Amino acid sequence: MLDSKIPEGPMKDKWTNHKSKIKLVNPANKRKYHVIVVGTGLAGSAAAATLSELGYNVKVFCIQDSPRRAHSIAAQGGINAAKNYPNDGDSIHRLFYDTVKGGDYRSREANVHRLAEVSNNIIDQCVAQGVPFAREYAGYLDNRSFGGAQVSRTFYARGQTGQQLLLGAYSALMKEVGKGAIDLHTRCEVLDIVVVKGVARGIVVRNLLTGEVTSHSADAVILATGGYSNAFYLSTNAKACNVTASWRAHKRGALLANPCYTQIHPTCIPVHGDYQSKLTLMSESLRNDGRVWVPKQAKDDRSPKDIPENERDYYLERKYPSFGNLVPRDLASRNAKYVCDDGFGVGATGEAVYLDFADAINRLGKDVIKARYGNLFEMYDRITNSSPYQDPMMIYPALHYTMGGLWVDYNLMSNLPGLFVLGEANFSDHGANRLGASALMQGLADGYFIIPYTIGDYLAQNPSGQIDANLPEFKESEQKIKDKTQKILKIEGKKTVDDFHRELGKLLWNNCGMSRNEKGLKEALEKIPEIRDEFSKNVNVPGSDADLNQALERAGRVSDFLEFGETLIYDALHRKESCGGHFREESQTEEGEALRDDDNFAYVAAWQYQGVGKIPNLIKEPLTFEEVPLSQRSYK
């Protein structure tokens, strides 16, 4: 049985009451505890800085050469908060409601309500740090709209909000590093979680520059390592994003929840070739002023300027008049796929739709649009050699975010005692579909305002004392890592790591991407073991493990993707319903919309590792909805 540790009492009082009742660590005792934080994105940097300021001994690890290179910088569009500055009817309850509904009723209500509650504190914190949010003429913070909401609650810094927020968290982190209060380790990859007597007590890392494998112990471990979209090979994630830390924790006993809940972002620059290494995201904020359309005539190869208004299909505005271009991401993505599949797509491949700013430029002027989206327009122009000021953007959906992740309770601790999971690495807040501008909100909420309380409660109930990193459990883990590395290097096959990664990614995208069916999922379950077996016999990783070797780095990560991908497919196969971004073709309405099955699937699917190639064990956490009654989602 899974104990989510949700506090008793009314929803609006749960977090307040919980904070007043949890155990505390006094300032003198905080100095006795050691905490490891893995990852330096918004969640990791915020957690590390805050815990250090409270007096804990903190070690931080990241794979990048600098914490500020974390992938949080790619969340360009904005961050949600329920401050209701535009006076348009927003509230904490409405943000909570929109998030539960947007996730298609597959998230835990108590966690989502807490997220909405602390959202306002995040904005105050970031303003105090000097984050340059956009402001109105009078000097007040500006807001814009995002998909899945009928109010303007998204705070933004032009088209680089994630970067500016990360710089704020990075500054707080480096202040503590400068004081000597945080021990920062860059270019280190976590390859195992060490469990001693059933409790997470440390990590084993490989230095990516020297190849040295070392152990580090602590009283608690925090994973804030992001999502696993790169399992699909082509995604909007940075190439270094991976599943390794989460997967290794899963193999040590941490449950993996809802792994098939992956998010397709509707506003991505389309694929242009078979050997493209990644995709580029155009912020969802663009749908505020851009209108999505395709020609009414199939395979229309005319220039968009030559297609008159009455021959354009603004299909989102037509199908969803209440929300129009601001429907949630899963609806925008799926409908783009539909019109392209039906032959109305544009561009050389036919897998693109137009995002047109002509109306907004005519209405507001080029200078206003440039102030809002100038850097995004410039980036699009550099990549495609087409200016959105002159011609519509061409966009198509792509893998972007993962709602699934390691299972955590209300305190953000996994079922493995001592292992806490923050941000995108956990499953807790977004259900089957994340609303835009909520990723930054969750990362900073977890790091700044939740984990400082909940980890203190855990530590207060466990005696302090950093254990010896020379214990047999650590040495055994180190040796297994070294042995696996040597095994990969000795294969000397004929295919590159990217060859295998691309093959796996295409299989996952085609069989478990924007839509999936039982036949395709079972086909994937047959093929993944074949790819994994060939990888073990025919991959070629040049070089050694004694210095910088990016091929070796990627080999370890792809090896984990080849194991993890099977669990992702098992999760998608067992969930015989459509919900949010998980569109099961056998479960849809007459209009082609997602059709949930609340009687049989209103639960979190938490999977327990049973071994490579073996069917994982399913453990269910039932979901109850007290504040937002279950209903069929509608944005019409």
Side-chain angles (χ1 to χ4, degrees):
M1 295 295 293
L2 290 174
D3 182 5
S4 57
K5 295 185 172 61
I6 298 173
E8 299 291 333
M11 188 67 66
K12 64 182 181 62
D13 298 327
K14 288 183 185 294
W15 178 233
T16 300
N17 292 342
H18 188 59
K19 288 190 294 182
S20 67
K21 293 177 181 178
I22 61 177
K23 296 184 180 298
L24 302 175
V25 181
N26 79 53
N29 286 340
K30 285 186 176 76
R31 295 192 291 269
K32 300 176 183 178
Y33 287 101
H34 295 76
V35 178
I36 285 173
V37 179
V38 185
T40 57
L42 289 178
S45 289
T50 307
L51 293 175
S52 177
E53 289 168 354
L54 288 172
Y56 296 105
N57 297 286
V58 180
K59 277 187 178 181
V60 177
F61 296 82
C62 69
I63 59 175
Q64 299 91 355
D65 59 345
S66 167
R68 68 181 180 275
R69 295 191 188 277
H71 190 60
S72 296
I73 66 166
Q76 305 155 321
I79 177 171
N80 288 331
K83 281 186 171 292
N84 193 31
Y85 284 170
N87 198 28
D88 57 359
D90 201 9
S91 65
I92 288 173
H93 179 81
R94 189 173 292 276
L95 174 55
F96 159 65
Y97 172 85
D98 286 346
T99 305
V100 172
K101 177 185 175 184
D104 217 353
Y105 303 90
R106 290 296 177 263
S107 53
R108 190 189 288 153
E109 272 195 336
N111 287 66
V112 177
H113 197 279
R114 177 176 61 186
L115 177 64
E117 285 182 67
V118 304
S119 66
N120 293 341
N121 296 337
I122 296 170
I123 304 304
D124 296 338
Q125 168 88 359
C126 295
V127 169
Q129 289 176 333
V131 173
F133 285 121
R135 293 180 181 270
E136 297 175 338
Y137 179 77
Y140 296 109
L141 297 181
D142 196 13
N143 290 105
R144 60 188 176 199
S145 302
F146 249 69
Q150 291 179 303
V151 298
S152 295
R153 64 162 64 101
T154 304
F155 295 79
Y156 65 98
R158 207 180 182 190
Q160 49 186 252
T161 313
Q163 180 176 352
Q164 297 301 329
L165 290 171
L166 183 62
L167 287 173
Y170 166 76
S171 298
L173 171 70
M174 296 309 292
K175 172 176 68 71
E176 295 300 298
V177 173
K179 288 166 51 179
I182 287 180
D183 184 9
L184 175 63
H185 298 258
T186 60
R187 300 296 283 152
C188 286
E189 182 164 26
V190 174
L191 296 181
D192 203 3
I193 308 298
V194 179
V195 179
V196 179
K197 297 180 179 179
V199 179
R201 295 305 302 268
I203 59 175
V204 178
V205 305
R206 179 177 180 269
N207 186 301
L208 298 179
L209 298 179
T210 67
E212 183 183 13
V213 176
T214 57
S215 293
H216 303 265
S217 62
D219 296 290
V221 177
I222 295 173
L223 291 186
T225 50
Y228 47 82
S229 288
N230 277 349
F232 293 78
Y233 187 69
L234 284 181
S235 84
T236 66
N237 284 196
K239 287 295 289 182
C241 293
N242 61 80
V243 77
T244 290
S246 293
W247 183 247
R248 304 290 172 92
H250 177 59
K251 294 175 79 168
R252 288 294 184 182
L255 298 177
L256 187 62
N258 300 335
C260 80
Y261 285 167
T262 55
Q263 179 160 83
I264 317 294
H265 197 290
T267 316
C268 177
I269 296 179
V271 176
H272 65 254
D274 290 337
Y275 294 97
Q276 194 168 342
S277 63
K278 74 177 298 294
L279 298 172
T280 302
L281 173 70
M282 290 286 102
S283 169
E284 187 183 358
S285 62
L286 295 169
R287 287 198 283 144
N288 275 290
D289 292 302
R291 301 180 69 192
V292 179
W293 65 275
V294 292
K296 290 183 178 179
Q297 177 181 316
K299 303 187 187 314
D300 192 332
D301 58 1
R302 288 178 292 173
S303 166
K305 290 182 178 180
D306 296 332
I307 301 176
E309 191 74 13
N310 64 346
E311 295 182 28
R312 300 179 180 188
D313 180 12
Y314 295 92
Y315 57 89
L316 292 179
E317 298 173 33
R318 170 174 56 82
K319 294 182 68 174
Y320 309 101
S322 294
F323 282 75
N325 295 297
L326 291 177
V327 293
R329 290 174 174 177
D330 59 318
L331 292 182
S333 297
R334 193 156 57 246
N335 279 278
K337 181 179 188 297
Y338 288 162
V339 294
C340 291
D341 288 350
D342 290 340
F344 297 96
V346 300
T349 64
E351 291 191 337
V353 299
Y354 289 128
L355 182 61
D356 197 338
F357 294 88
D359 285 354
I361 292 172
N362 290 334
R363 184 179 73 254
L364 302 171
K366 181 178 176 180
D367 289 344
V368 172
I369 298 301
K370 184 175 183 180
R372 292 178 181 177
Y373 314 112
N375 61 310
L376 298 174
F377 279 29
E378 181 183 355
M379 182 165 63
Y380 182 88
D381 194 353
R382 288 185 178 183
I383 293 172
T384 67
N385 195 32
S386 175
S387 171
Y389 296 112
Q390 305 297 326
D391 299 298
M393 286 184 178
M394 284 194 288
I395 58 169
Y396 193 72
L399 257 296
H400 172 61
Y401 188 90
T402 56
M403 288 79 67
L406 293 178
W407 183 90
V408 293
D409 61 20
Y410 188 75
N411 295 319
L412 303 184
M413 187 167 76
S414 72
N415 62 296
L416 187 59
L419 179 66
F420 293 81
V421 190
L422 312 186
E424 190 180 358
N426 75 33
F427 87 100
S428 66
D429 291 1
H430 305 298
N433 174 60
R434 178 177 66 80
L435 292 184
S438 289
L440 301 178
M441 179 172 60
Q442 186 206 351
L444 291 178
D446 288 356
Y448 281 137
F449 298 108
I450 298 174
I451 196 64
Y453 286 94
T454 59
I455 200 172
D457 183 49
Y458 169 77
L459 294 173
Q461 300 178 63
N462 292 274
S464 62
Q466 190 176 15
I467 65 173
D468 190 350
N470 290 312
L471 286 174
E473 289 86 348
F474 288 89
K475 294 304 174 186
E476 178 185 347
S477 177
E478 288 181 18
Q479 192 57 51
K480 284 185 177 179
I481 289 168
K482 293 175 182 177
D483 291 346
K484 181 175 181 178
T485 300
Q486 290 302 316
K487 184 178 180 180
I488 289 175
L489 289 170
K490 290 177 181 178
I491 296 172
E492 297 182 348
K494 296 181 179 180
K495 294 176 68 173
T496 68
V497 174
D498 279 357
D499 289 335
F500 288 100
H501 194 181
R502 189 180 295 110
E503 186 177 1
L504 172 67
K506 285 185 176 180
L507 179 65
L508 293 178
W509 173 251
N510 291 330
N511 295 53
C512 196
M514 277 193 280
S515 64
R516 60 286 300 258
N517 56 55
E518 184 171 352
K519 179 183 177 182
L521 293 169
K522 288 183 176 179
E523 178 185 279
L525 282 178
E526 292 176 0
K527 289 187 176 181
I528 290 175
E530 296 174 4
I531 301 172
R532 189 169 60 236
D533 182 61
E534 187 186 1
F535 178 91
S536 68
K537 299 173 182 176
N538 198 31
V539 72
N540 187 294
V541 180
S544 76
D545 65 339
D547 54 14
L548 176 65
N549 188 340
Q550 292 185 315
L552 179 59
E553 292 175 35
R554 291 197 299 273
R557 296 165 192 166
V558 172
S559 174
D560 289 329
F561 280 140
L562 285 166
E563 295 177 3
F564 162 77
E566 211 166 3
T567 301
L568 185 152
I569 297 293
Y570 275 120
D571 186 44
L573 183 61
H574 108 278
R575 189 170 286 277
K576 298 179 180 180
E577 66 162 353
S578 294
C579 54
H582 174 277
F583 191 74
R584 188 69 175 260
E585 293 173 8
E586 299 92 334
S587 181
Q588 54 183 299
T589 66
E590 292 181 0
E591 295 81 18
E593 302 290 357
L595 180 62
R596 291 197 323 269
D597 181 356
D598 295 328
D599 292 336
N600 295 303
F601 293 100
Y603 57 77
V604 176
W607 297 92
Q608 185 180 45
Y609 181 73
Q610 299 294 303
V612 176
K614 297 182 179 180
I615 300 175
N617 182 41
L618 173 62
I619 303 173
K620 301 176 182 179
E621 178 198 339
L623 293 170
T624 57
F625 296 89
E626 304 168 6
E627 301 289 318
V628 186
L630 285 164
S631 64
Q632 189 63 33
R633 202 169 52 140
S634 174
Y635 290 92
K636 294 186 176 180

Coordinates of all heavy atoms in Angstrom, one line a residue, residues 294-337:
V294 N -4.5 26.3 -41.1 CA -4.0 25.6 -42.3 C -4.9 25.9 -43.5 O -6.0 26.4 -43.3 CB -4.0 24.0 -42.1 CG1 -3.0 23.6 -41.0 CG2 -5.4 23.6 -41.7
P295 N -4.4 25.7 -44.7 CA -5.3 25.9 -45.8 C -6.5 25.0 -45.8 O -6.4 23.8 -45.4 CB -4.4 25.6 -47.0 CG -3.0 25.7 -46.5 CD -3.1 25.3 -45.1
K296 N -7.6 25.5 -46.3 CA -8.8 24.6 -46.4 C -8.7 23.6 -47.6 O -9.4 22.6 -47.6 CB -10.1 25.5 -46.6 CG -10.5 26.3 -45.4 CD -11.8 27.0 -45.7 CE -12.2 27.8 -44.4 NZ -13.5 28.6 -44.7
Q297 N -7.8 23.9 -48.5 CA -7.5 23.0 -49.6 C -6.3 22.1 -49.2 O -5.3 22.5 -48.9 CB -7.2 23.8 -50.8 CG -6.8 23.0 -52.1 CD -6.5 23.9 -53.3 OE1 -7.2 24.8 -53.5 NE2 -5.4 23.5 -54.0
A298 N -6.5 20.8 -49.4 CA -5.5 19.8 -49.1 C -4.3 20.0 -50.0 O -4.4 20.3 -51.2 CB -6.0 18.4 -49.2
K299 N -3.1 19.8 -49.4 CA -1.8 19.8 -50.2 C -1.7 21.2 -51.0 O -1.3 21.2 -52.1 CB -1.7 18.6 -51.1 CG -1.8 17.3 -50.4 CD -1.4 16.1 -51.4 CE -1.7 14.8 -50.7 NZ -1.1 14.6 -49.4
D300 N -2.1 22.2 -50.3 CA -2.0 23.6 -50.9 C -0.6 24.1 -50.8 O -0.1 24.4 -49.7 CB -3.0 24.5 -50.2 CG -3.2 25.8 -50.9 OD1 -2.3 26.2 -51.7 OD2 -4.3 26.4 -50.8
D301 N 0.1 24.2 -51.9 CA 1.5 24.6 -51.9 C 1.7 26.1 -52.2 O 2.8 26.6 -52.4 CB 2.4 23.8 -52.9 CG 1.9 23.9 -54.3 OD1 0.9 24.7 -54.5 OD2 2.5 23.3 -55.2
R302 N 0.7 26.9 -52.1 CA 0.8 28.3 -52.3 C 1.5 29.0 -51.1 O 1.4 28.4 -50.0 CB -0.6 29.0 -52.5 CG -1.3 28.7 -53.8 CD -2.6 29.3 -53.9 NE -3.6 28.7 -52.9 CZ -4.8 29.2 -52.7 NH1 -5.2 30.3 -53.3 NH2 -5.6 28.6 -51.8
S303 N 2.1 30.1 -51.3 CA 2.6 30.9 -50.2 C 1.5 31.3 -49.3 O 0.4 31.6 -49.8 CB 3.3 32.1 -50.7 OG 3.6 33.1 -49.7
P304 N 1.7 31.3 -48.0 CA 0.6 31.7 -47.1 C 0.0 33.1 -47.4 O -1.2 33.3 -47.2 CB 1.2 31.7 -45.7 CG 2.7 31.7 -45.9 CD 2.9 31.0 -47.2
K305 N 0.8 34.0 -47.9 CA 0.3 35.3 -48.2 C -0.6 35.3 -49.4 O -1.5 36.2 -49.6 CB 1.5 36.2 -48.6 CG 2.4 36.6 -47.4 CD 3.5 37.5 -47.9 CE 4.4 38.0 -46.7 NZ 5.5 38.9 -47.1
D306 N -0.6 34.2 -50.2 CA -1.4 34.1 -51.4 C -2.7 33.4 -51.1 O -3.6 33.2 -52.0 CB -0.7 33.4 -52.5 CG 0.5 34.2 -53.0 OD1 0.5 35.4 -52.9 OD2 1.5 33.6 -53.5
I307 N -2.9 32.9 -49.8 CA -4.1 32.2 -49.5 C -5.1 33.2 -48.8 O -4.8 33.7 -47.7 CB -3.8 31.0 -48.5 CG1 -2.8 30.1 -49.2 CG2 -5.1 30.3 -48.1 CD1 -2.3 28.9 -48.3
P308 N -6.2 33.5 -49.4 CA -7.1 34.5 -48.8 C -7.7 34.0 -47.6 O -7.8 32.8 -47.3 CB -8.1 34.7 -50.0 CG -8.0 33.5 -50.8 CD -6.6 33.0 -50.7
E309 N -8.3 34.9 -46.8 CA -8.8 34.6 -45.5 C -9.9 33.6 -45.5 O -10.0 32.7 -44.7 CB -9.4 35.9 -44.9 CG -9.8 35.8 -43.4 CD -8.6 35.8 -42.5 OE1 -7.5 36.1 -42.9 OE2 -8.8 35.5 -41.3
N310 N -10.8 33.6 -46.6 CA -11.9 32.7 -46.6 C -11.4 31.3 -47.0 O -12.2 30.3 -47.1 CB -13.0 33.2 -47.6 CG -12.5 33.3 -49.0 OD1 -11.3 33.3 -49.3 ND2 -13.4 33.5 -49.9
E311 N -10.1 31.1 -47.4 CA -9.6 29.8 -47.7 C -8.7 29.2 -46.6 O -7.9 28.3 -46.8 CB -8.9 29.8 -49.0 CG -9.8 30.2 -50.2 CD -9.1 30.2 -51.6 OE1 -8.1 29.4 -51.7 OE2 -9.5 30.9 -52.5
R312 N -8.8 29.8 -45.4 CA -8.0 29.4 -44.3 C -8.9 28.8 -43.2 O -10.0 29.2 -43.0 CB -7.2 30.6 -43.6 CG -6.3 31.3 -44.6 CD -5.6 32.5 -43.9 NE -4.7 33.2 -44.7 CZ -3.9 34.2 -44.3 NH1 -3.9 34.6 -43.0 NH2 -3.1 34.8 -45.2
D313 N -8.4 27.7 -42.6 CA -9.1 27.0 -41.5 C -8.4 27.3 -40.2 O -7.4 26.7 -39.9 CB -9.2 25.5 -41.8 CG -9.9 24.8 -40.7 OD1 -10.6 25.5 -39.9 OD2 -9.9 23.5 -40.7
Y314 N -9.0 28.2 -39.4 CA -8.5 28.5 -38.1 C -9.1 27.4 -37.2 O -10.1 27.7 -36.4 CB -8.8 29.9 -37.6 CG -8.1 31.0 -38.5 CD1 -8.8 31.5 -39.6 CD2 -6.9 31.4 -38.1 CE1 -8.1 32.5 -40.3 CE2 -6.2 32.4 -38.9 CZ -6.9 32.9 -40.0 OH -6.3 33.9 -40.7
Y315 N -8.6 26.2 -37.2 CA -9.3 25.1 -36.7 C -9.4 25.1 -35.2 O -10.4 24.6 -34.7 CB -8.6 23.8 -37.2 CG -7.2 23.6 -36.8 CD1 -6.8 23.0 -35.7 CD2 -6.1 24.1 -37.7 CE1 -5.4 22.9 -35.3 CE2 -4.8 23.9 -37.4 CZ -4.5 23.3 -36.2 OH -3.1 23.2 -35.9
L316 N -8.5 25.6 -34.5 CA -8.7 25.7 -33.0 C -9.8 26.7 -32.6 O -10.6 26.4 -31.7 CB -7.4 26.1 -32.3 CG -6.2 25.1 -32.4 CD1 -5.0 25.6 -31.7 CD2 -6.6 23.7 -31.8
E317 N -9.8 27.8 -33.3 CA -10.9 28.8 -33.0 C -12.3 28.2 -33.5 O -13.3 28.5 -32.8 CB -10.6 30.1 -33.8 CG -9.3 30.7 -33.3 CD -9.0 31.9 -34.2 OE1 -9.9 32.6 -34.7 OE2 -7.8 32.2 -34.4
R318 N -12.3 27.4 -34.5 CA -13.5 26.8 -35.0 C -14.0 25.7 -34.0 O -15.2 25.7 -33.7 CB -13.3 26.2 -36.4 CG -14.4 25.3 -36.9 CD -14.2 24.9 -38.4 NE -13.0 24.2 -38.6 CZ -12.8 22.9 -38.3 NH1 -13.8 22.2 -37.9 NH2 -11.6 22.4 -38.6
K319 N -13.1 24.9 -33.6 CA -13.5 23.7 -32.7 C -13.7 24.1 -31.3 O -14.5 23.4 -30.6 CB -12.5 22.6 -32.9 CG -12.4 22.0 -34.3 CD -11.4 20.8 -34.3 CE -11.9 19.6 -33.5 NZ -11.0 18.5 -33.7
Y320 N -13.0 25.0 -30.8 CA -13.0 25.4 -29.4 C -13.2 26.9 -29.2 O -12.3 27.6 -28.8 CB -11.7 25.0 -28.7 CG -11.3 23.5 -28.9 CD1 -10.4 23.2 -29.9 CD2 -12.0 22.5 -28.3 CE1 -10.0 21.9 -30.2 CE2 -11.6 21.2 -28.5 CZ -10.7 20.9 -29.5 OH -10.3 19.6 -29.8
P321 N -14.4 27.4 -29.5 CA -14.6 28.8 -29.5 C -14.4 29.5 -28.2 O -14.0 30.7 -28.1 CB -16.1 29.0 -29.9 CG -16.7 27.6 -29.7 CD -15.6 26.6 -29.9
S322 N -14.6 28.9 -27.0 CA -14.4 29.5 -25.7 C -12.9 29.8 -25.4 O -12.5 30.8 -24.8 CB -15.0 28.6 -24.6 OG -16.4 28.6 -24.7
F323 N -12.0 28.9 -25.9 CA -10.6 29.0 -25.6 C -9.8 29.3 -26.9 O -8.7 29.9 -26.8 CB -10.0 27.7 -25.0 CG -10.4 27.6 -23.5 CD1 -11.6 27.2 -23.1 CD2 -9.4 27.8 -22.5 CE1 -12.0 27.1 -21.7 CE2 -9.7 27.7 -21.2 CZ -11.0 27.3 -20.8
G324 N -10.3 28.9 -28.0 CA -9.6 29.2 -29.3 C -8.2 28.7 -29.3 O -7.9 27.5 -29.0
N325 N -7.2 29.6 -29.6 CA -5.8 29.2 -29.7 C -5.2 28.9 -28.4 O -4.0 28.5 -28.3 CB -5.0 30.3 -30.4 CG -5.5 30.5 -31.9 OD1 -5.3 29.6 -32.7 ND2 -6.0 31.6 -32.2
L326 N -5.9 29.2 -27.3 CA -5.4 29.0 -25.9 C -5.9 27.7 -25.3 O -6.0 27.6 -24.1 CB -5.7 30.2 -25.1 CG -4.9 31.5 -25.5 CD1 -5.3 32.6 -24.6 CD2 -3.4 31.3 -25.4
V327 N -6.3 26.7 -26.1 CA -6.6 25.4 -25.5 C -5.3 24.8 -24.9 O -4.2 25.2 -25.2 CB -7.2 24.5 -26.6 CG1 -8.5 25.0 -27.0 CG2 -6.2 24.3 -27.7
P328 N -5.5 23.8 -24.0 CA -4.3 23.2 -23.4 C -3.4 22.5 -24.5 O -3.9 22.3 -25.6 CB -4.9 22.1 -22.5 CG -6.2 22.6 -22.1 CD -6.7 23.3 -23.4
R329 N -2.2 22.2 -24.1 CA -1.2 21.7 -25.1 C -1.6 20.4 -25.7 O -1.3 20.2 -26.9 CB 0.1 21.5 -24.4 CG 0.7 22.8 -24.0 CD 2.0 22.6 -23.2 NE 2.7 23.9 -22.9 CZ 3.7 24.1 -22.2 NH1 4.3 23.0 -21.6 NH2 4.3 25.3 -22.1
D330 N -2.3 19.5 -25.0 CA -2.6 18.2 -25.6 C -3.6 18.4 -26.7 O -3.5 17.7 -27.8 CB -3.1 17.2 -24.5 CG -4.3 17.7 -23.8 OD1 -4.3 18.9 -23.4 OD2 -5.2 16.9 -23.5
L331 N -4.6 19.3 -26.5 CA -5.6 19.5 -27.6 C -5.0 20.2 -28.8 O -5.2 19.8 -29.9 CB -6.7 20.3 -27.0 CG -7.6 19.7 -26.0 CD1 -8.8 20.6 -25.6 CD2 -8.2 18.4 -26.5
A332 N -4.1 21.2 -28.5 CA -3.5 21.9 -29.6 C -2.6 20.9 -30.4 O -2.6 21.0 -31.7 CB -2.7 23.1 -29.1
S333 N -1.9 20.1 -29.7 CA -1.0 19.1 -30.4 C -1.7 18.1 -31.2 O -1.4 17.8 -32.4 CB -0.1 18.4 -29.4 OG 0.7 19.4 -28.7
R334 N -2.7 17.5 -30.6 CA -3.5 16.4 -31.3 C -4.2 17.0 -32.5 O -4.2 16.3 -33.5 CB -4.4 15.8 -30.3 CG -5.0 14.5 -30.8 CD -5.4 13.6 -29.6 NE -6.4 14.2 -28.8 CZ -6.2 14.5 -27.5 NH1 -5.0 14.3 -26.9 NH2 -7.2 15.0 -26.8
N335 N -4.8 18.2 -32.4 CA -5.5 18.7 -33.5 C -4.5 19.1 -34.7 O -4.9 19.0 -35.9 CB -6.3 19.9 -33.1 CG -7.6 19.5 -32.5 OD1 -8.6 19.2 -33.2 ND2 -7.7 19.4 -31.2
A336 N -3.3 19.5 -34.4 CA -2.3 19.8 -35.4 C -2.0 18.5 -36.1 O -1.9 18.4 -37.4 CB -1.1 20.4 -34.8
K337 N -1.9 17.4 -35.4 CA -1.6 16.1 -36.0 C -2.8 15.7 -36.9 O -2.5 15.2 -38.0 CB -1.4 15.0 -34.9 CG -1.1 13.6 -35.5 CD -0.8 12.6 -34.3 CE -0.3 11.3 -34.9 NZ -1.3 10.6 -35.7

